[in-house]
Amino acid sequence: VAPFLCIRLIQRFGISNPSPRYIGTCAKSFHDGLFTSGGHSYGSGAYGDLSAVIASIALDREARNPVLDSDPASGSLREPILKVIGLMRALGFEHDDRIGTTQLYGMNEKIGQMAYSFDSVFSFFLPEYIPNNGPLATAFLTSPESAKLQMPLIVGMLNGIFSLVKYGLSDCYDGFGIDPGSGRCKDDGFYERSLGTLHFGPTIVSSRISASSDDAEETVSSGYVSLVSPDLELGANKQSSRWVGMRFTNLQIPNSAKIIGAYVQFEVDEKKDTMTTLTIHGQAADNPAGFSTDEYNISKRSLTNAAVSWNNIPAWRKKSDKHNTPDISQIVQELVSRVGWVPGNSIVILVSGTGKRVAESWDGEPDNAPLLVVNYSIDGDCTATGGANLDTIDNLATLLTAGRLSNENKDKIKKAIENTGADTQAGVRLAQQLIATTPEFHTTNLLTPNGKSRQKQSTQPSSNNDYRAIVYVYLGGGVDSFNMLAPHTCPSTTDETANTYDKYLAIREHVALRSDITLEIDARASSQPCTSFGIHPSLPILRDLYNEGSALFVANAGLLVKPVNKTNYKEQTPVQLFAHNTMSRETKQLDLNGHMSGSGVVGRLKDVLTKIGYSTDSFSISGDTMALMGRPGLNPPPSVMSSSGLTALNAEPSMTGMDDLIRDLNDATSEDSGFMSETWASALSVAMDQHSILYSALEKVSNSKSFPDNELGRQLSTVSRLMKTQVQRGVNRDMFYVSVSGFDTHSSVGPRLIEKFDEVNSALDAFVNEIKLQGHWERTTLIQFSDFARTLSPNSGGGTDHGWGQHIFALGGSLKGGRVLGDYPDDFSEKSPIALSRGNMIPTTPWDAIWNGISQWHGVTKKSDLDEVLPMRNNFPAEVLYNINDLYRMDSKIRPPFSYEQEEMERDLEGMGTL
């Protein structure tokens, strides 16, 4: 217990690969309940005292010694949610007064993590997770958080941070917030659509005219003052010159503030292009009153010494456009520096001149009345011009990267901001965004760039010839497949009175799927104990495709390392049977002896196909999955996408060429650079390349058929759209992974299966019809798996418990369907050599058998290559393994990638030991 717990706790404290000594110190503290350091003791002495354990972790030299920062293998990637929260805390996030607490929305889908929203009972990360390429894979070092370095999650993280910096907490461009009900998404420092903002460097305050007496017009010739005009005429009208007065209230600016920038924003009420020149003053008063109708109430007010000329004002050509005055910071500085100024006072701005521009007033459109915006700082951290200076970038680096940001990256960021000519606040926002893309922000170890750019991924369009696709459908939780495919009509044996159907009814009791409600399929062409079987009534698509010859079942199949029975299965099956996590992982890996450690069966198939000349791609639409992982370093990692497809990356960049600069900040690293930093930088580069290719391709396609709005339907909708982009992506072999959970039916198995099978049926129906229209039906093999089956004997809660051997289905236009393969059990009692207690069946057909034929259909022909895909297949007799002719029709429109005669010849040569 102690080492198990200590490894996980140390990893959560930011050290992914603790030394055996470190783990041992922690484990001893757990066992003793005590830890002593620096003359202080922690813990009560009771076994398992967590105060002792935490002290041993936090005070150990591996946690505190800065020398280890130079060790490339030290540290960790930061957890996604901690990166977001850390940025918000470091940059002084403050939520809007309209909300009681800060809430982040859609975080699991956007970044892969949210507090209390675990992916499974095994939390967010597998402690033993190793990325599938890069220095960590080469060194066989763990990085649990690397499991979240998937393209959609990287894009979601960057989009969310960019949105938070530019627009505040909102829904703008895939932000982490929700629509507050008003305001626009505009990177201007107003944050008008946000429910909270970051506060670093210059503080922004704004005040909009808020009453009829706070904006006014005065006719110079008569002194007449109007408080209720529907607009503000700046300059003059036909009769006389005008003064316009505006009072901005409740300005929370300290008396000691240094004004960095200030302006008034007007909204156009009338189009005007006459030459106009205006002069802007402030009223020299500590807290001026509102306007009245007294004659000359505007022009007779005392004026500030500071004045700003607004010359040659561009034409106002479009109603509702926004126009800002020149910088009036000197006027505001003079006012807030007055002895009597206190935060919360008001400022009056006065405008006079020649020409004419017409703006909205409070009486015309209150929401678009003039707005005063002021940027100020207290500590002089930012200058008034030139964007963010180096001190500002250093401060941001300290806050966001604990000082790890390399000098090379600091210089790149500073130069980029200077080149944009951004104002101070915009420069600070850009610096925050750029730093948040760097390896130093996303990891806790050091970066050493080598000055070289990373090579971009590219594709060459391919023809549609010989395209094949695998769709791996995983029903998570352990589907009760004896109620997916049940006996229907079964002849009695000569020596027994009860047939298979009767035995089924007897052991299933009240959860049995009775023949009068099932969808009957003919099994006379199959060597089974029944002449027909019954499909669950909620799965008519399987019945229809079976009758069409495009669906088949494999009975009593499962995870095996070699053929076993109940006398030797425990010794001969090196896996924790009946456990969700192990059975799910090993079903997807299919390598119980660890010959191809860290890879999955579909990933190895992709590796081999790539090696022999096919152009391959792989996608998970259901998070990170071992099934698609290839052997480290052989291929790019699979693309992981959300069921909603792709969103744009950095849709509104803060500078031209921002994406290229992000790539530069994550350039190639030297061999002594931090492994974690390289892992992030490489993953980001790959993600940006994948996103660019896929986003462009997916934008051009849509499905012809509508898909159900459920978990599996959304995933298969994305798969079918991706299949439409096959030519643009330049591939002729695609692998897809989708999954749906909820099949762990320990209670109420009947109602639960109706609900879940309805979802599966509607999704499959839409998918099959869509890819038939695309012309990909004969090119596609959809194969279904699950953790395990269920016990035939029900439990007391109306459910069934974890079993082993299960029935699965495969769909595809080239399959030799209309058959039930494998060996459907005809004896569920413990007298059977393959029946454990409660009708828990030992599989008789290994997963390797199915994958053997599928691999051949997709182009794997050599024995050595098949052995690489299926390292356990030689543990089974040749007659157990399905070949291409067992699973696929030779008269299909899509010819096999090699002739059946060639397969027969190779099989003969294998038998003679030639291959």
Side-chain angles (χ1 to χ4, degrees):
V1 173
F4 176 89
L5 182 64
C6 285
I7 290 172
R8 285 152 178 78
L9 288 176
I10 293 171
Q11 285 181 331
R12 299 282 60 77
F13 273 76
I15 300 172
S16 291
N17 295 279
S19 69
R21 181 206 59 80
Y22 193 2
I23 298 168
T25 300
C26 173
K28 186 176 185 301
S29 299
F30 184 92
H31 184 271
D32 297 344
L34 283 173
F35 177 74
T36 302
S37 176
H40 297 280
S41 294
Y42 305 88
S44 63
Y47 176 82
D49 190 305
L50 287 181
S51 62
V53 172
I54 299 303
S56 74
I57 294 171
L59 299 177
D60 191 90
R61 64 176 182 261
E62 281 189 43
R64 298 185 298 137
N65 193 334
V67 173
L68 290 176
D69 289 344
S70 300
D71 180 357
S74 71
S76 69
L77 273 92
R78 299 170 66 196
E79 295 185 44
I81 190 64
L82 296 186
K83 289 186 282 194
V84 175
I85 299 300
L87 182 138
M88 294 172 74
R89 294 184 64 183
L91 300 184
F93 178 83
E94 295 180 6
H95 67 74
D96 194 285
D97 292 338
R98 291 174 290 174
I99 58 175
T101 57
T102 299
Q103 294 188 55
L104 306 176
Y105 293 85
M107 301 302 280
N108 263 341
E109 183 176 26
K110 291 171 183 172
I111 68 171
Q113 190 182 23
M114 184 57 188
Y116 310 116
S117 298
F118 305 120
D119 294 342
S120 72
V121 294
F122 309 105
S123 192
F124 298 106
F125 314 108
L126 292 174
E128 67 273 16
Y129 183 83
I130 298 173
N132 69 335
N133 55 23
L136 289 171
T138 303
F140 213 67
L141 294 173
T142 62
S143 176
E145 300 82 4
S146 294
K148 300 298 181 182
L149 296 186
Q150 305 159 9
M151 181 263 287
L153 300 182
I154 290 174
V155 170
M157 173 66 75
L158 296 186
N159 279 345
I161 289 177
F162 294 166
S163 176
L164 183 63
V165 169
K166 294 191 290 186
Y167 313 113
L169 183 59
S170 73
D171 63 333
C172 293
Y173 300 102
D174 303 302
F176 297 141
I178 57 172
D179 181 358
S182 63
R184 297 167 299 169
C185 297
K186 193 169 183 181
D187 181 17
D188 55 8
F190 291 166
Y191 307 111
E192 59 184 80
R193 193 181 175 86
S194 77
L195 292 172
T197 55
L198 305 173
H199 295 276
F200 172 84
T203 301
I204 296 181
V205 297
S206 62
S207 174
R208 192 179 295 277
I209 300 298
S210 57
S212 183
S213 60
D214 283 341
D215 60 2
E217 294 176 324
E218 176 187 311
T219 303
V220 172
S221 60
S222 64
Y224 172 76
V225 175
S226 171
L227 302 181
V228 293
S229 174
D231 55 38
L232 297 176
E233 297 183 353
L234 305 170
N237 63 13
K238 293 180 180 179
Q239 289 77 33
S240 172
S241 297
R242 293 270 182 132
W243 279 79
V244 169
M246 298 163 288
R247 179 173 177 260
F248 301 97
T249 61
N250 192 29
L251 288 158
Q252 298 294 329
I253 304 174
N255 182 258
S256 59
K258 178 181 179 181
I259 306 303
I260 305 297
Y263 58 87
V264 176
Q265 182 179 83
F266 297 101
E267 178 164 311
V268 176
D269 181 65
E270 294 180 13
K271 295 183 288 185
K272 295 292 180 183
D273 59 4
T274 56
M275 183 173 292
T276 300
T277 299
L278 303 174
T279 301
I280 304 171
H281 288 87
Q283 180 181 347
D286 297 333
N287 190 25
F291 301 102
S292 71
T293 56
D294 295 345
E295 289 185 354
Y296 301 105
N297 184 255
I298 299 177
S299 61
K300 286 188 176 181
R301 297 189 178 214
S302 57
L303 304 179
T304 54
N305 293 322
V308 172
S309 296
W310 192 2
N311 299 320
N312 300 319
I313 300 173
W316 289 12
R317 299 189 181 280
K318 186 179 179 182
K319 184 176 171 60
S320 300
D321 274 358
K322 309 289 186 183
H323 291 273
N324 298 342
T325 67
D327 183 21
I328 60 170
S329 56
Q330 56 183 308
I331 297 173
V332 178
Q333 185 72 70
E334 180 180 332
L335 294 174
V336 301
S337 298
R338 294 173 62 90
V339 174
W341 174 268
V342 295
N345 279 2
S346 300
I347 284 178
V348 164
I349 299 296
L350 306 170
V351 181
S352 62
T354 60
K356 189 174 184 179
R357 294 291 183 268
V358 183
E360 294 289 358
S361 68
W362 187 89
D363 292 283
E365 290 190 19
D367 291 342
N368 296 312
L371 177 75
L372 173 66
V373 179
V374 180
N375 295 349
Y376 72 86
S377 68
I378 299 300
D379 55 11
D381 190 37
C382 297
T383 56
T385 59
N389 62 26
L390 191 56
D391 287 341
T392 302
I393 295 172
D394 280 337
N395 288 341
L396 284 171
T398 299
L399 290 170
L400 297 179
T401 71
R404 290 184 297 270
L405 189 65
S406 68
N407 289 330
E408 292 90 342
N409 279 350
K410 286 181 186 177
D411 291 342
K412 290 176 183 178
I413 292 170
K414 184 174 186 297
K415 182 178 179 180
I417 294 170
E418 289 174 347
N419 289 342
T420 65
D423 63 47
T424 300
Q425 191 66 12
V428 170
R429 292 196 299 273
L430 177 56
Q432 291 168 352
Q433 293 173 74
L434 294 173
I435 292 174
T437 70
T438 63
E440 298 95 327
F441 172 76
H442 291 273
T443 73
T444 64
N445 66 3
L446 299 177
L447 174 77
T448 309
N450 68 6
K452 297 179 181 179
S453 298
R454 296 182 188 274
Q455 186 172 358
K456 287 187 177 183
Q457 291 186 7
S458 61
T459 62
Q460 293 295 326
S462 74
S463 71
N464 199 39
N465 295 334
D466 199 32
Y467 174 66
R468 312 285 168 95
I470 293 173
V471 182
Y472 187 125
V473 178
Y474 197 79
L475 306 183
V479 65
D480 194 327
S481 57
F482 279 94
N483 272 20
M484 178 173 73
L485 184 71
H488 188 281
T489 303
C490 310
S492 297
T493 60
T494 56
D495 57 344
E496 294 184 38
T497 56
N499 60 33
T500 303
Y501 178 67
D502 294 332
K503 296 173 188 177
Y504 170 84
L505 291 181
I507 193 169
R508 290 246 94 175
E509 301 177 7
H510 55 283
V511 303
L513 194 65
R514 302 187 66 87
S515 61
D516 57 343
I517 66 168
T518 61
L519 306 173
E520 186 178 8
I521 57 171
D522 189 343
R524 287 175 296 179
S526 308
S527 299
Q528 299 297 345
C530 302
T531 56
S532 67
F533 288 92
I535 296 175
H536 193 284
S538 294
L539 292 169
I541 183 66
L542 297 186
R543 185 268 316 273
D544 295 345
L545 292 175
Y546 182 94
N547 291 338
E548 176 187 295
S550 299
L552 59 79
F553 291 90
V554 182
N556 199 34
L559 178 67
L560 291 168
V561 71
K562 60 178 61 175
V564 296
N565 56 42
K566 65 183 181 183
T567 66
N568 63 2
Y569 77 94
K570 290 182 179 179
E571 295 78 19
Q572 299 296 329
T573 312
V575 66
Q576 187 180 353
L577 292 169
F578 321 123
H580 288 293
N581 60 331
T582 56
M583 293 297 282
S584 175
R585 182 178 66 247
E586 298 298 344
T587 293
K588 296 165 187 173
Q589 284 189 276
L590 214 55
D591 180 24
L592 285 172
N593 292 323
H595 294 303
M596 304 287 180
S597 183
S599 63
V601 60
V602 185
R604 294 192 299 271
L605 174 57
K606 178 185 174 186
D607 288 344
V608 170
L609 290 171
T610 303
K611 178 179 68 176
I612 61 181
Y614 291 99
S615 177
T616 64
D617 223 339
S618 58
F619 300 87
S620 172
I621 321 298
S622 186
D624 195 35
T625 176
M626 180 56 70
L628 299 184
M629 293 298 180
R631 299 182 68 188
L634 295 184
N635 268 311
S639 300
V640 183
M641 297 176 56
S642 73
S643 59
S644 58
L646 287 180
T647 57
L649 170 61
N650 198 15
E652 292 290 324
S654 296
M655 60 171 283
T656 302
M658 185 171 174
D659 288 355
D660 290 335
L661 178 55
I662 292 171
R663 291 179 185 275
D664 289 345
L665 294 171
N666 290 272
D667 268 348
T669 60
S670 63
E671 290 184 358
D672 62 347
S673 186
F675 292 172
M676 305 296 172
S677 292
E678 168 59 22
T679 298
W680 162 262
S682 174
L684 174 61
S685 177
V686 170
M688 292 180 73
D689 291 342
Q690 289 178 337
H691 182 275
S692 176
I693 295 167
L694 284 176
Y695 188 80
S696 175
L698 286 171
E699 282 287 283
K700 301 171 184 175
V701 299
S702 61
N703 287 322
S704 302
K705 293 289 184 179
S706 60
F707 280 70
D709 187 21
N710 57 42
E711 186 179 0
L712 188 57
R714 290 187 293 271
Q715 292 179 56
L716 288 176
S717 173
T718 298
V719 169
S720 63
R721 289 180 64 210
L722 284 166
M723 291 173 73
K724 271 192 167 182
T725 68
Q726 165 254 329
V727 173
Q728 295 94 318
R729 289 184 287 112
V731 300
N732 49 29
R733 291 295 184 271
D734 263 333
M735 290 85 177
F736 302 99
Y737 174 86
V738 299
S739 72
V740 59
S741 57
F743 287 92
D744 195 14
T745 49
H746 288 289
S747 62
S748 304
V749 61
R752 187 65 176 155
L753 282 184
I754 292 173
E755 175 189 344
K756 297 306 298 181
F757 283 160
D758 279 343
E759 176 180 352
V760 171
N761 188 80
S762 60
L764 291 178
D765 186 51
F767 177 71
V768 170
N769 284 318
E770 173 64 31
I771 63 172
K772 282 182 176 180
L773 286 176
Q774 292 181 17
H776 285 149
W777 178 230
E778 284 79 15
R779 306 173 188 274
T780 301
T781 301
L782 183 149
I783 182 75
Q784 168 264 315
F785 296 94
S786 191
D787 312 15
F788 35 63
R790 318 294 295 189
T791 57
L792 277 104
S793 176
N795 58 34
S796 59
T800 50
D801 300 318
H802 298 182
W804 191 356
Q806 59 183 290
H807 317 312
I808 66 169
F809 61 81
L811 313 177
S814 293
L815 283 173
K816 190 184 291 184
R819 297 175 300 145
V820 179
L821 304 181
D823 298 302
Y824 201 100
D826 62 353
D827 185 357
F828 312 113
S829 73
E830 292 187 44
K831 295 178 182 179
S832 168
I834 61 167
L836 305 176
S837 62
R838 297 182 56 205
N840 182 1
M841 309 308 296
I842 296 174
T844 49
T845 299
W847 294 143
D848 304 72
I850 299 109
W851 282 113
N852 195 68
I854 292 175
S855 298
Q856 292 176 1
W857 170 250
H858 282 78
V860 181
T861 64
K862 292 183 178 179
K863 178 182 182 299
S864 58
D865 289 337
L866 286 168
D867 292 344
E868 184 175 339
V869 177
L870 302 167
M872 300 188 298
R873 79 182 192 116
N874 291 320
N875 297 341
F876 301 94
E879 61 269 18
V880 171
L881 302 176
Y882 300 130
N883 62 48
I884 187 173
N885 194 45
D886 295 324
L887 297 183
Y888 293 91
R889 291 184 289 107
M890 294 300 103
D891 61 348
S892 167
K893 295 178 184 177
I894 308 302
R895 299 299 301 164
F898 62 99
S899 69
Y900 178 61
E901 288 75 18
Q902 178 185 348
E903 163 66 13
E904 287 290 293
M905 181 180 65
E906 291 204 359
R907 183 178 294 176
D908 292 340
L909 290 173
E910 289 175 26
M912 293 185 291
T914 305
L915 290 181

